[in-house]
Amino acid sequence: MARGELRIFLGAAPGVGKTYTMLEEAHRRAERGTDVVVALVETHGRRHTGAMVGDLEVVPRRTVRYRGAAFTEMDLDAVLARRPQLAVLDELAHSNVPGERHAKRWQDVTELLDAGIDVLTTVNVQHLESLNDVVARITGVEQRETVPDAVVRAAEQVELVDMTPEALRRRMAHGNIYQPEKIDAALGNYFRTGNLTALRELALLWLADKVEEQLDKYRADHRIDTTWETRPRVVVALTGGPEGETLIRRAARTKGANLMAVHVSRNDGLAGADPARLARQRVLVESLGGSYHQVVGADVPRALLDFARAVNATLIVLGASSRGRLAQIFSAGVGATTTALAGTIDVHLVPHELAAAGRRTRMPAALSRARRLAGFGAVVAGLPVLTLLVKVGNLSLTNDLLVFLAAVVGVALIGGLWPALLAAVSGSLLLNWFFTPPFGRFTIAASENLLALAIFVVVAIAVSWVVDTAARKTRQAAQAGADAQTLATVAGSVLRGTRPLIALLERLRETFTLDSVTLRERDTVVASVGEPAGPADAEVRVDDNLVMVLRGHPLEASDRRIVEAFAAQAAVALRQERLTAEAATAKPLAEADRMRTALLAAVSHDLRTPLASAKASVASLLSADVHFDDDDRAELLATADESLERLDRLVTNLLDMSRLQAGALGVTLIAVGAEEVVPRALDDLGPDGRTVLAHIADDLPTLIADPGLLERVLVNLIANALRYSPAERPPAVTASALGGTIELRIIDHGRGIPKDRWDDVFLPFQRLGDRDNHTGVGLGLALARGLTEAMGGTLVPEETPGGGLTMVLSLPSGTL
């Protein structure tokens, strides 16, 4: 049985028309003869969306009871039994009621697809798992329901239902999305123009990445390796030289392009590039929004082009050659070879200062200075002794040549190229003087002897060159391995720990046995390890502002490159620590901004309701056009009084929450009895408070609290319990001692809350499914927990046996 196909309608925000467009597609498919059923559609009271269902067959929903409340969900078994060709199922990210076969609706969709049923569904960009935190930072609203990106990316089709922010706000203002009483708050909060613009951009970019994945898959399936210029992608080739920064900045000026920098390492494991410069250039690339890559290859141009074709690059940027004319005669160079083999990929050769001046690379010595001196000493002392021994041995010229050739190889192994060249030249002269007729003269009588000496010199020089080159490569490989191990340790130091900069500097000090390492920014010490006493032995400049100062001993030239790599990573670590600090500073500011936005939303709606009610009552009493009898007058006065009391509670809660957020709430802790505070809290609740059952032991110890704040906490908790408890089972308040604490329990017998949502009830402006928008701004429990913690106590929920929720308020017992 073939698996069904999934088509998803993606939107940037609620109200853009995802469900409407999905139903349009369902009608088109039905008109073409497809067997279509509506498994579940959420109209949210939108008239046009509801009408769009039309004559489509609708599978009845299944009613699910949970904690005393009734919920409706899709009847998955009924849809599977009906076996349509196409099922229409709204809101892919929806969480099912606990106890259902699947926790998430996208899992229901997976089962339908496995059964061979095609599915049309919808999702908003804020519900995508990878973007959930980004959307929360932009809008200040965290989405609890998410769907894994892999589920959406696996869909056969993802269609964007797009709408400009201005058009969406007009649709909202006309009442086509939310109910009239919610419009002002929505337009001033989530549906601000900036929020909608950012969400739209996120949706477009996410879908562009999805389209790019599909294109890459198509190209791979059809083995297309030519470049398709669907999107500008620039690859910068870095050698580790100082011209790299010029190339990166030049490439970054290509408008709208994806920037990728790549360094091709030799596959023989030898060090060729400056790791410090590469580290700095990587930071520059990433700061410009690009990505850094490293590939290995023996043929640099081909490795570069293979990478460029793999990423579908449209442009390669290289530095102009700085090689001399003689070198270019023997080899075309990377730039020329890349240009010749690039095909349809554009290649830009960017001139730079080194190309104009020419660059001479000093080949590093294969052996140490001591080894080279030992080689010269072997030539000066050893060749005369060898000549004497060979003379005494009275060998043939052929054997004489072999003995001196062996000596040259030995000198090459000891001292490298230059001592070996001296040995070859000196050996040829000694052979000519002592062993080639006529003896004692620098002349050669026989032509075959001349040829033998000439071959000796050539072979000796060639062998010396090979031995020297092998020694040089061995030393470079060993150095490259040591550098790689050290740099890996550096990277690990940056990634691990809460203070990566200090860890990195300490690693540098240990690696090079230094007394101290200090990182200075202009004249300010940013970080330091060890005892920074005495003058600096070395300074390594990181950039225009940062300098690393080393004390302990001077640096060897061979160590300076790796120290520069440390310095470059120190700049990265410093930047990382500063970004972390800025993020920590920004978090409370963002929270304060979210609180401010929510306060404004509350003022725009929740405070307006009691104000309007009180104003209407007072205006009626003041009106001369209508005569009210005593009963009507008393009713209007009671309405005004009730509205003003509610307004007073709301304003008080808002002010207290603001003080809590600002840390400016005054708390006076004294010893107080629960039997004193609980009755006062019940009195504050008026007639409703008299229905609450209170059970407080007479011998209960006193507790430590601020009486006024504790009374406020109890009023909020009991009011919440009254709101959800059925009339026949009123809430109860109990008090008991447990160890060194007093536990006050506020027990209700309502529908309760799932355990995984217990923490959510303490979030400000959270009603958790409460549809009544006239009962406050959702601050009661958040304020109760904040006040409790300010008094040194705790407030946690528990499940009420038999159904409901119990709030456990714990405060220390004792006397002051």
Side-chain angles (χ1 to χ4, degrees):
M1 179 176 59
R3 193 173 191 269
E5 293 188 357
L6 176 62
R7 182 172 180 178
I8 298 176
F9 296 86
L10 175 68
V16 296
K18 302 179 300 300
T19 304
Y20 192 92
T21 305
M22 177 179 66
L23 290 171
E24 283 184 328
E25 175 62 22
H27 278 288
R28 281 193 291 269
R29 300 278 286 272
E31 291 170 0
R32 294 198 297 265
T34 303
D35 182 15
V36 180
V37 301
V38 175
L40 187 144
V41 165
E42 297 286 0
T43 64
H44 299 289
R46 297 165 191 165
R47 177 168 49 87
H48 299 295
T49 304
M52 196 61 198
V53 176
D55 58 355
L56 293 173
E57 179 185 347
V58 179
V59 176
R61 299 191 185 191
R62 177 169 169 266
T63 300
V64 181
R65 301 198 65 83
Y66 180 71
R67 295 187 180 275
F71 302 89
T72 60
E73 294 286 3
M74 176 188 68
D75 193 337
L76 179 59
D77 290 330
V79 178
L80 291 170
R82 172 65 175 74
R83 294 196 62 79
Q85 291 177 286
L86 176 67
V88 180
L89 180 56
D90 213 356
E91 297 187 357
L92 182 63
H94 170 76
S95 297
N96 294 327
V97 174
E100 290 291 275
R101 182 153 75 234
H102 300 302
K104 297 289 186 178
R105 183 164 292 165
W106 63 263
Q107 295 171 314
D108 295 336
V109 170
T110 301
E111 186 168 346
L112 292 175
L113 295 173
D114 291 339
I117 301 172
D118 295 344
V119 175
L120 300 181
T121 188
T122 63
V123 71
N124 278 327
V125 69
Q126 67 263 30
H127 295 296
L128 296 175
E129 184 66 46
S130 65
L131 298 176
N132 184 254
D133 57 337
V134 178
V135 173
R137 287 195 296 269
I138 293 172
T139 64
V141 179
E142 184 177 356
Q143 301 293 334
R144 299 289 179 179
E145 295 180 328
T146 60
V147 59
D149 287 50
V151 174
V152 184
R153 291 189 185 279
E156 280 71 20
Q157 296 183 63
V158 178
E159 179 178 333
L160 179 65
V161 182
D162 191 28
M163 178 174 288
T164 64
E166 293 76 15
L168 185 57
R169 284 172 60 84
R170 283 197 301 271
R171 178 179 286 186
M172 171 70 75
H174 292 159
N176 294 329
I177 300 177
Y178 287 166
Q179 297 300 317
E181 65 271 11
K182 296 182 178 180
I183 292 175
D184 291 341
L187 289 175
N189 189 15
Y190 194 87
F191 283 79
R192 287 179 292 182
T193 302
N195 286 358
L196 296 178
T197 302
L199 292 173
R200 188 185 187 203
E201 182 178 11
L202 286 175
L204 290 169
L205 291 174
W206 191 94
L207 190 60
D209 289 340
K210 163 72 174 174
V211 172
E212 186 174 353
E213 286 180 5
Q214 293 175 329
L215 178 61
D216 291 342
K217 183 178 184 300
Y218 178 86
R219 283 165 49 86
D221 291 343
H222 292 77
R223 298 184 178 181
I224 300 173
D225 56 3
T226 58
T227 300
W228 287 8
E229 299 182 9
T230 57
R231 186 175 181 180
R233 296 177 178 85
V234 181
V235 171
V236 184
L238 300 178
T239 64
E243 76 281 358
E245 295 182 2
T246 301
L247 302 182
I248 293 169
R249 292 190 174 94
R250 172 64 183 84
R253 291 199 291 270
T254 305
K255 188 175 181 180
N258 282 358
L259 177 62
M260 291 167 281
V262 60
H263 171 67
V264 180
S265 300
R266 296 164 56 181
N267 63 357
D268 55 9
L270 301 182
D274 186 339
R277 284 204 180 100
L278 281 178
R280 289 195 294 268
Q281 289 163 11
R282 178 174 187 167
V283 172
L284 177 59
V285 170
E286 293 174 349
S287 68
L288 293 172
S291 58
Y292 177 85
H293 307 268
Q294 192 155 335
V295 297
V296 178
D299 189 332
V300 173
R302 292 188 182 278
L304 177 60
L305 287 170
D306 287 344
F307 174 82
R309 293 190 180 103
V311 299
N312 200 24
T314 57
L315 173 66
I316 298 176
V317 176
L318 301 100
S321 177
S322 58
R323 299 160 70 244
R325 294 182 180 179
L326 183 61
Q328 293 182 21
I329 293 175
F330 293 100
S331 174
V334 173
T337 306
T338 302
T339 303
L341 300 176
T344 58
I345 304 176
D346 294 338
V347 179
H348 286 187
L349 296 177
V350 179
H352 49 89
E353 293 181 358
L354 290 177
R359 177 170 59 185
R360 294 178 178 271
T361 304
R362 182 177 179 271
M363 186 176 293
L367 300 173
S368 65
R369 184 170 181 270
R371 290 278 296 275
R372 295 197 300 274
L373 290 176
F376 284 116
V379 173
V380 174
L383 286 185
V385 175
L386 181 63
T387 302
L388 179 61
L389 293 175
V390 172
K391 190 70 173 176
V392 172
N394 194 23
L395 303 174
S396 66
L397 180 59
T398 302
N399 291 327
D400 294 340
L401 291 173
L402 291 176
V403 170
F404 272 85
L405 183 60
V408 172
V409 172
V411 171
L413 291 173
I414 296 172
L417 177 62
W418 295 108
L421 290 178
L422 177 61
V425 174
S426 301
S428 65
L429 294 175
L430 289 171
L431 284 168
N432 186 4
W433 184 270
F434 290 104
F435 304 104
T436 305
F439 302 112
R441 298 174 57 186
F442 289 111
T443 58
I444 301 173
S447 58
E448 62 270 17
N449 291 339
L450 176 62
L451 178 61
L453 282 175
I455 293 175
F456 166 79
V457 173
V458 171
V459 172
I461 293 174
V463 170
S464 301
W465 180 269
V466 169
V467 172
D468 181 78
T469 302
R472 179 179 289 107
K473 287 183 177 293
T474 301
R475 187 175 184 183
Q476 287 181 352
Q479 182 65 38
D483 289 353
Q485 184 177 2
T486 303
L487 289 175
T489 304
V490 172
S493 298
V494 174
L495 293 174
R496 294 189 297 269
T498 57
R499 297 292 306 278
L501 179 58
I502 295 299
L504 188 146
L505 297 183
E506 185 62 37
R507 177 69 63 180
L508 173 61
R509 189 177 72 86
E510 292 176 358
T511 301
F512 294 97
T513 61
L514 299 167
D515 293 337
S516 70
V517 180
T518 303
L519 185 65
R520 299 180 63 89
E521 187 171 23
R522 296 187 180 92
D523 295 329
T524 304
V525 175
V526 176
S528 182
V529 295
E531 296 295 332
D537 293 297
E539 290 188 358
V540 177
R541 181 163 293 279
V542 184
D543 54 31
D544 294 338
N545 298 323
L546 289 174
V547 177
M548 185 174 284
V549 181
L550 312 176
R551 295 180 177 86
H553 57 78
L555 282 179
E556 295 184 10
S558 59
D559 292 336
R560 192 169 186 88
R561 286 200 334 160
I562 198 68
V563 172
E564 288 177 349
F566 268 97
Q569 292 297 332
V572 174
L574 177 61
R575 179 184 175 200
Q576 176 184 330
E577 287 192 2
R578 287 178 173 174
L579 288 175
T580 302
E582 289 174 4
T585 304
K587 185 176 180 180
L589 295 177
E591 181 66 23
D593 182 68
R594 191 186 71 82
M595 180 66 67
R596 178 188 60 81
T597 302
L599 285 171
L600 291 175
V603 171
S604 68
H605 175 263
D606 294 272
L607 298 186
R608 185 173 59 186
T609 302
L611 276 175
S613 178
K615 182 178 179 182
S617 299
V618 174
S620 298
L621 291 170
L622 293 176
S623 174
D625 299 331
V626 181
H627 176 71
F628 297 99
D629 57 24
D630 291 342
D631 291 339
D632 291 337
R633 184 180 298 275
E635 183 178 351
L636 289 171
L637 287 172
T639 300
D641 181 63
E642 181 184 351
S643 298
L644 291 174
E645 282 186 2
R646 184 145 52 98
L647 178 63
D648 179 66
R649 288 197 299 270
L650 290 173
V651 171
T652 302
N653 282 346
L654 289 170
L655 291 175
D656 283 348
M657 181 56 70
S658 298
R659 293 189 185 101
L660 275 174
Q661 293 289 328
L665 184 69
V667 180
T668 303
L669 299 178
I670 63 172
V672 61
E675 70 279 2
E676 302 173 20
V677 181
V678 173
R680 289 204 301 266
L682 296 177
D683 289 341
D684 288 345
L685 292 168
D688 289 338
R690 299 189 187 98
T691 65
V692 178
L693 304 177
H695 303 284
I696 301 174
D698 295 335
D699 56 349
L700 192 69
T702 58
L703 51 86
I704 307 301
D706 184 310
L709 296 183
L710 178 56
E711 184 178 335
R712 294 289 313 288
V713 171
L714 290 172
V715 167
N716 280 323
L717 294 178
I718 298 171
N720 188 73
L722 284 167
R723 185 177 300 123
Y724 294 105
S725 288
E728 65 276 9
R729 298 193 67 184
V733 179
T734 66
S736 59
L738 180 64
T741 63
I742 301 296
E743 288 189 348
L744 295 168
R745 294 175 176 267
I746 295 83
I747 306 165
D748 73 59
H749 302 281
R751 64 173 181 263
I753 298 172
K755 286 185 178 181
D756 59 348
R757 304 297 303 276
W758 279 358
D759 288 339
D760 295 346
V761 301
F762 297 107
L763 298 176
F765 312 101
Q766 171 64 259
R767 294 192 182 94
L768 205 61
D770 188 1
R771 302 294 182 185
D772 182 7
N773 290 327
H774 302 280
T775 56
V777 294
L779 277 177
L781 295 180
L783 180 61
R785 172 173 274 188
L787 295 177
T788 300
E789 292 176 351
M791 293 184 290
T794 60
L795 179 62
V796 296
E798 285 184 0
E799 187 175 354
T800 301
L805 189 71
T806 297
M807 288 292 177
V808 182
L809 170 62
S810 300
L811 290 166
S813 62
T815 58
L816 289 178

